Amino acid sequence: MNRPQYILLPVSPLFIAFSLFCAVLLNMLPWGRFIAAPDFVALTLVFWGVHQPRKVGIGTAFCLGLLMDVHDASLLGENALSYTLLSYFAIMLHRRILWFRVSTQILHVLPLLLLAQTVQMLVRFMVAGKFPGWFFFIESLVAALLWPLATMLLLAPQRRAVDKDHTRPI
């Protein structure tokens, strides 16, 4: 409890939209069959669901899921269902998660990402009848390990300056 408490500035809706757009673009990069490529949209949805649950909700997650379904040429609704559940549980747990340090928040974010990926795997299993293997879940582990970096980058515009300028109103 020795860490300083920072009061953050309000987040801009344009910055939220920009971060979600960048996450979609990162997901659309041609990663090929690289197993450890994280789902940046899921990570960003969890972040905004935890930090701004009134601004990024289940509807946004559903629309981004449909967009990723079309991009991945997967079964329509697969990503939409997993992102919707992911966003719901992130919003449901947002007060609990914010009590912990960023390094401990990883332990709360990892089950959320694993749940979303399990839903995707179950939908694929019901349609194709193939189990993709346990390496399928490395994506969630890598995304959870990126949580401190995502927190640092996405909270940066909201942080106040450390050295106070007495000519500024805030």
Side-chain angles (χ1 to χ4, degrees):
M1 297 308 249
N2 296 350
R3 60 192 168 117
Q5 298 292 326
Y6 294 106
I7 297 176
L8 298 174
L9 297 171
V11 64
S12 168
L14 289 174
F15 180 71
I16 293 174
F18 176 73
S19 67
L20 290 170
F21 177 72
C22 288
V24 168
L25 288 180
L26 283 172
N27 268 10
M28 290 184 177
L29 284 176
W31 296 104
R33 296 218 172 244
F34 186 58
I35 290 177
D39 190 353
F40 292 104
V41 175
L43 183 64
T44 309
L45 282 172
V46 169
F47 177 83
W48 289 122
V50 168
H51 287 277
Q52 295 294 328
R54 293 181 184 224
K55 294 189 178 184
V56 176
I58 297 171
T60 305
F62 182 78
C63 292
L64 288 173
L66 286 178
L67 179 67
M68 293 313 299
D69 283 332
V70 170
H71 172 263
D72 294 341
S74 61
L75 187 65
L76 190 64
E78 175 186 328
N79 287 316
L81 175 65
S82 68
Y83 288 172
T84 303
L85 289 174
L86 178 72
S87 181
Y88 171 75
F89 286 115
I91 291 169
M92 191 174 77
L93 296 174
H94 83 275
R95 290 180 190 243
R96 176 186 169 87
I97 293 172
L98 290 176
W99 273 96
F100 297 99
R101 285 190 244 169
V102 175
S103 58
T104 311
Q105 288 176 4
I106 294 172
L107 298 175
H108 291 84
V109 171
L110 180 61
L112 294 175
L113 295 170
L114 283 173
L115 171 77
Q117 209 169 10
T118 302
V119 168
Q120 289 176 348
M121 190 241 347
L122 288 175
V123 169
R124 290 179 189 172
F125 184 74
M126 289 189 320
V127 171
K130 294 180 185 175
F131 180 68
W134 294 107
F135 287 115
F136 180 73
F137 295 105
I138 289 178
E139 175 182 318
S140 294
L141 181 65
V142 172
L145 291 175
L146 288 176
W147 179 258
L149 179 65
T151 301
M152 183 184 70
L153 289 175
L154 294 174
L155 286 182
Q158 298 176 43
R159 295 195 196 280
R160 294 174 185 239
V162 175
D163 55 340
K164 294 204 177 220
D165 184 8
H166 296 289
T167 60
R168 284 194 315 215
I170 292 181

